[in-house]
Amino acid sequence: MEIVKSIEVLDQYLSEARSQGKHIGLVPTMGALHAGHASLVKRSVSENDVTVVSDFVNPTQFNDKRDLQTYPRDLEADCSLLKSLGVDYVFAPSVEEMYPEPDDRQFSYPPVDTVMEGKYRPGHFNGVCQIVSKLFYIVNPDRAYFGEKDYQQIAVIKQMVKDLNLPVEIRPCPIVREEDGLALSSRNALLTPEERNLAVNISRTLFISKQYAKSHSLKETHDLVVNVLNSLEGLEVQYYEIVDGETLQPVEDWHDAASVVGCITVFCGSRPVRLIDNVHYI
Ligand code: AMP
């Protein structure tokens, strides 16, 4: 496994692989890797000849400076995990390497990027599109792997790929959870043990609501989730939206869309740590 910091060097390696007709898989990450990331990596390794994992905390997708400063980083631990998974290249550039000058490109993919995360984290998806498009141009992968934990991110990236006519196939991968149900997240490392115990209520409530939804209206199900979580001291729901799984627009009835997904963001603890999760109802 090679750890590559320079775009030019990575390009040399990948040009050679491509000239040999090898298929390239890309897994974009911000590091502080866990079993969720590992599931994407394993899939890429099994489906491609060459796997590139990018490990880069992208400043342009953080709308909150403190969130960027406190974001966990551990390149050494990441590399030993990635080596054990059979990764070929870890691309870990500096901010200057990725952004030698400010990126003033604007990406706008309504309606999927205007709701939920788009509404509560202004500029977030623009930053995601900036970095992911750069990675796609640099790596030119055949396939790129993204986790369904960031459900809306996948929808936005699919729109971007279509818009820019990029020859990459987006492969969504299921959410990996702790044994008790908490969705794995790099941000979980920021939780105190008490907050960690509290955070499990997010997935627990979503799973309970899946059962509840079978005999209750969409609004009743929505309100159950919000009320249960907000009643717990230390948790505060930022939004809970039950949306069409394709367009991400809110639906009012279970039968309004072919796929219906509940997307939640909760503030946990005193810092607080912002956690996201989602559940498929239909
Ligand atoms: P991040 O490092 O948080 O930007 O995540 C990198 C990729 O890993 C994204 O595509 C995430 O959706 C994915 N990912 C993060 N957590 C999980 C998880 N618990 N299960 C599956 N994929 C995940």
Side-chain angles (χ1 to χ4, degrees), residues 31-151:
L33 302 180
H34 50 64
H37 300 107
S39 74
L40 275 55
V41 172
K42 283 181 197 159
R43 188 143 168 228
S44 175
V45 169
S46 75
E47 295 177 354
N48 300 279
D49 305 303
V50 172
T51 288
V52 181
V53 177
S54 60
D55 191 313
F56 176 69
V57 180
N58 174 39
T60 74
Q61 72 189 68
F62 285 80
N63 55 321
D64 176 348
K65 273 222 172 79
R66 226 176 76 90
D67 189 21
L68 173 62
Q69 280 160 2
T70 57
Y71 198 84
R73 294 156 212 246
D74 192 345
L75 183 60
E76 212 175 300
D78 292 349
C79 287
S80 61
L81 172 68
L82 295 174
K83 193 168 177 195
S84 76
L85 296 174
V87 166
D88 301 279
Y89 302 107
V90 179
F91 180 48
S94 63
V95 172
E96 295 69 36
E97 182 72 1
M98 287 312 282
Y99 297 104
E101 45 203 78
D103 190 342
D104 53 17
R105 293 175 300 156
Q106 292 292 325
F107 297 85
S108 170
Y109 299 115
V112 294
D113 69 346
T114 50
V115 292
M116 301 191 290
E117 294 296 281
K119 186 165 145 199
Y120 289 94
R121 298 184 72 188
H124 169 66
F125 285 126
N126 197 55
V128 168
C129 288
Q130 287 178 341
I131 188 64
V132 174
S133 63
K134 276 177 182 272
L135 290 169
F136 284 177
Y137 290 130
I138 294 165
V139 175
N140 192 9
D142 297 278
R143 305 179 186 102
Y145 297 80
F146 292 89
E148 285 186 338
K149 184 168 91 72
D150 299 276
Y151 192 82

Side-chain angles (χ1 to χ4, degrees), residues 86-254:
V87 166
D88 301 279
Y89 302 107
V90 179
F91 180 48
S94 63
V95 172
E96 295 69 36
E97 182 72 1
M98 287 312 282
Y99 297 104
E101 45 203 78
D103 190 342
D104 53 17
R105 293 175 300 156
Q106 292 292 325
F107 297 85
S108 170
Y109 299 115
V112 294
D113 69 346
T114 50
V115 292
M116 301 191 290
E117 294 296 281
K119 186 165 145 199
Y120 289 94
R121 298 184 72 188
H124 169 66
F125 285 126
N126 197 55
V128 168
C129 288
Q130 287 178 341
I131 188 64
V132 174
S133 63
K134 276 177 182 272
L135 290 169
F136 284 177
Y137 290 130
I138 294 165
V139 175
N140 192 9
D142 297 278
R143 305 179 186 102
Y145 297 80
F146 292 89
E148 285 186 338
K149 184 168 91 72
D150 299 276
Y151 192 82
Q152 190 176 5
Q153 173 169 275
I154 296 179
V156 173
I157 287 169
K158 280 185 175 168
Q159 283 296 317
M160 182 190 77
V161 163
K162 212 161 134 190
D163 177 37
L164 303 179
N165 295 302
L166 298 174
V168 54
E169 191 191 323
I170 303 303
R171 300 228 156 152
C173 303
I175 302 178
V176 177
R177 299 179 179 280
E178 300 277 10
E179 224 165 89
D180 64 5
L182 176 68
L184 292 183
S185 164
S186 304
R187 287 194 170 86
N188 293 351
L190 302 172
L191 299 169
T192 64
E194 293 75 31
E195 290 165 352
R196 163 65 186 82
N197 289 338
L198 194 58
V200 73
N201 288 290
I202 302 167
S203 57
R204 192 175 285 161
T205 306
L206 290 181
F207 297 153
I208 290 170
S209 81
K210 239 176 108 99
Q211 290 302 115
Y212 186 85
K214 290 180 181 162
S215 53
H216 292 82
S217 71
L218 190 146
K219 185 177 182 314
E220 285 165 339
T221 306
H222 170 274
D223 292 352
L224 172 89
V225 170
V226 173
N227 293 336
V228 166
L229 291 174
N230 279 342
S231 74
L232 297 169
E233 205 183 319
L235 293 184
E236 189 194 333
V237 176
Q238 186 178 39
Y239 67 80
Y240 183 51
E241 293 201 15
I242 301 181
V243 300
D244 180 324
E246 287 295 315
T247 64
L248 303 190
Q249 301 311 290
V251 286
E252 287 182 0
D253 188 273
W254 297 121

